[in-house]
Amino acid sequence: MSASTKVTTVEQATFVVPDLSVKDLLSVIPAHCFKRSALRSSSYILGDVIGIAGTYKAASWVAQLITPDVLPDPLLRTAASVSVWALYGFVTGLFGTGLWVIAHECGHQAFSESKAINNAVGWVLHSALGVPYHSWRISHAKHHASTGHCNQDQVFVPKTRSELKLPPLDPAKEDLMGRSVSEEVKSELREAIGDSPLGTMLGSLTYLVFGWPMYLIRNASGQRRYPKGTSHFAPASVIFGTHQYSQILLSDLGIALWLGGLVAWGYNRGFSEVLRLYLMPYLWVNHWLVMITFLQHTDPILPHYRAPEFTFPRGALSTLDRSLLGDLGPIGAWVGATLTHGISETHVLHHVSSKIPHYNAWEAAAALRARLAQAGIELQGAPGGWPEVYRCFRECKFIEDEGSVVFYKNSQGLAAVRPVFRDSKATDSGVEVEN
């Protein structure tokens, strides 16, 4: 056997395609978990604001201690000052992400029983964080309706083999399910895709920093059937209906006021203060948002569905719970979960019922996990952090153009998981049936 015809075969895990109904999933959640309280939700806003103010006061106090008497060397003083404000930006970014999560709950009508209160609070909070409230609320609702759908989901839509212009699938040289691939095909795919560690690191870093604003501005990583340059800021965008025009304008007004406030702040106090106190935490918020959502929806073990096999429950269960900063140990996990209100740790539950407020999500998620365990389903991913972003970026390159239930393949054309159906009703004749 020549080197080019040698075949690499991997051991794959099997994913039993779930066949649960919405009623199955919702019936196990305690009724009180669905209750929403404007007062209780507001207390978390107050807590986040106090956290940000306290972080600023602490950083200012420490910065005042960095004097020539304490550190005579000017370079050391500069380094110490930069370190203090960098830490401020990091911590404030986590508190800011907590505020972002509450604004996101407003968009799901999970903040209170009042739609007017939800939309008013959400508009203020999201505008203050540079997010067009109604515009994103509308597209995000579409994401929830079609999570994991190869053709209808709004974001984190996998690229197909043909979209990446990769060599066509040759059944004689590689398996459709990604179980075995010849060395010849592996080499062709690696060359076409590129898989250098440095390239992956730079790609993931760029994605974490600029992915969110680029998605809003020009639909980066979004639904590719939309026209090129589709924007959340355009009232006539295909994302929205004509009846939503005024809501998009209101969202744009919030962004205009936000930008005007930053410009006025910079004009009166100097750009360096704006950069130090707001823009650096703002970039951290964007970073955490992208990291959290990317890892919730991207992993070699997560399925994606095409129309014949997609259902809402299957889409909701094509997500993962992860412990944000859990790779830093128990303290990191506690900080990540507490300051971001458990958005990463209870995400599967959030897709099953998005109107459950975060303070009830922990109990509801535990009840849901117990029900899923009975069905042999576990949706707990590895702890969320930068190493996990790197791994998923490297392992999730493309899906096949064929198949109603598909999994990511890596740059060698190999997949970690293959789908299995419980019975012979499956539409994909090539998919196994569980014995």
Side-chain angles (χ1 to χ4, degrees), residues 71-80:
L71 284 176
D73 191 317
L75 290 178
L76 287 179
R77 284 202 305 278
T78 300

Side-chain angles (χ1 to χ4, degrees), residues 135-408:
S135 308
W136 187 75
R137 175 184 64 78
I138 292 166
S139 70
H140 188 61
K142 293 182 178 182
H143 159 64
H144 270 256
S146 302
T147 304
H149 196 299
C150 296
N151 307 109
Q152 299 298 326
D153 202 349
Q154 295 295 296
V155 70
F156 303 119
V157 182
K159 293 182 179 178
T160 64
R161 178 186 287 263
S162 60
E163 286 172 333
L164 290 178
K165 297 180 171 51
L166 301 176
L169 178 74
D170 184 349
K173 297 179 181 179
E174 57 177 317
D175 177 47
L176 174 65
M177 297 296 173
R179 200 177 327 191
S180 58
V181 182
S182 73
E183 291 298 319
E184 176 187 355
V185 171
K186 284 170 62 176
S187 178
E188 291 176 347
L189 290 175
R190 279 197 303 265
E191 183 176 349
I193 295 174
D195 191 32
S196 71
L198 179 60
T200 301
M201 183 177 68
L202 292 176
S204 58
L205 179 62
T206 301
Y207 189 69
L208 288 173
V209 176
F210 301 109
W212 171 240
M214 289 300 100
Y215 169 64
L216 293 177
I217 293 169
R218 61 178 185 85
N219 194 43
S221 298
Q223 180 50 251
R224 285 184 294 283
R225 62 186 171 84
Y226 289 160
K228 186 176 181 181
T230 294
S231 174
H232 278 72
F233 298 100
S237 169
V238 296
I239 303 174
F240 316 117
T242 54
H243 64 288
Q244 295 165 331
Y245 196 94
S246 61
Q247 296 179 59
I248 311 310
L249 288 178
L250 180 60
S251 301
D252 290 349
L253 173 62
I255 298 303
L257 293 173
W258 170 69
L259 288 172
L262 291 179
V263 170
W265 183 5
Y267 180 80
N268 288 287
R269 301 285 297 178
F271 175 74
S272 62
E273 181 176 293
V274 178
L275 176 66
R276 175 168 50 94
L277 299 185
Y278 181 88
L279 292 181
M280 294 309 297
Y282 166 77
L283 291 176
W284 273 114
V285 171
N286 289 352
H287 157 276
W288 292 122
L289 169 64
V290 174
M291 173 185 284
I292 291 167
T293 53
F294 173 77
L295 291 178
Q296 287 165 345
H297 297 281
T298 311
D299 194 285
I301 67 174
L302 288 178
H304 287 81
Y305 299 93
R306 292 193 170 96
E309 293 300 337
F310 177 83
T311 64
F312 175 81
R314 285 177 177 175
L317 300 181
S318 64
T319 63
L320 286 176
D321 290 335
R322 296 183 187 268
S323 173
L324 182 64
L325 300 182
D327 55 344
L328 300 180
I331 295 178
W334 180 85
V335 169
T338 301
L339 299 194
T340 63
H341 305 310
I343 187 62
S344 183
E345 290 79 3
T346 62
H347 193 68
V348 177
L349 177 278
H350 175 65
H351 270 272
V352 170
S353 181
S354 59
K355 283 190 176 181
I356 295 178
H358 68 87
Y359 42 81
N360 291 335
W362 298 95
E363 181 181 357
L368 178 64
R369 288 190 196 107
R371 175 65 183 92
L372 295 178
Q374 293 175 354
I377 300 171
E378 182 181 354
L379 297 173
Q380 182 66 50
W386 298 291
E388 190 66 3
V389 172
Y390 177 88
R391 182 188 72 84
C392 291
F393 227 85
R394 196 166 193 184
E395 292 298 316
C396 301
K397 294 298 186 182
F398 70 96
I399 59 172
E400 292 294 348
D401 295 276
E402 307 171 53
S404 295
V405 186
V406 292
F407 288 83
Y408 268 115

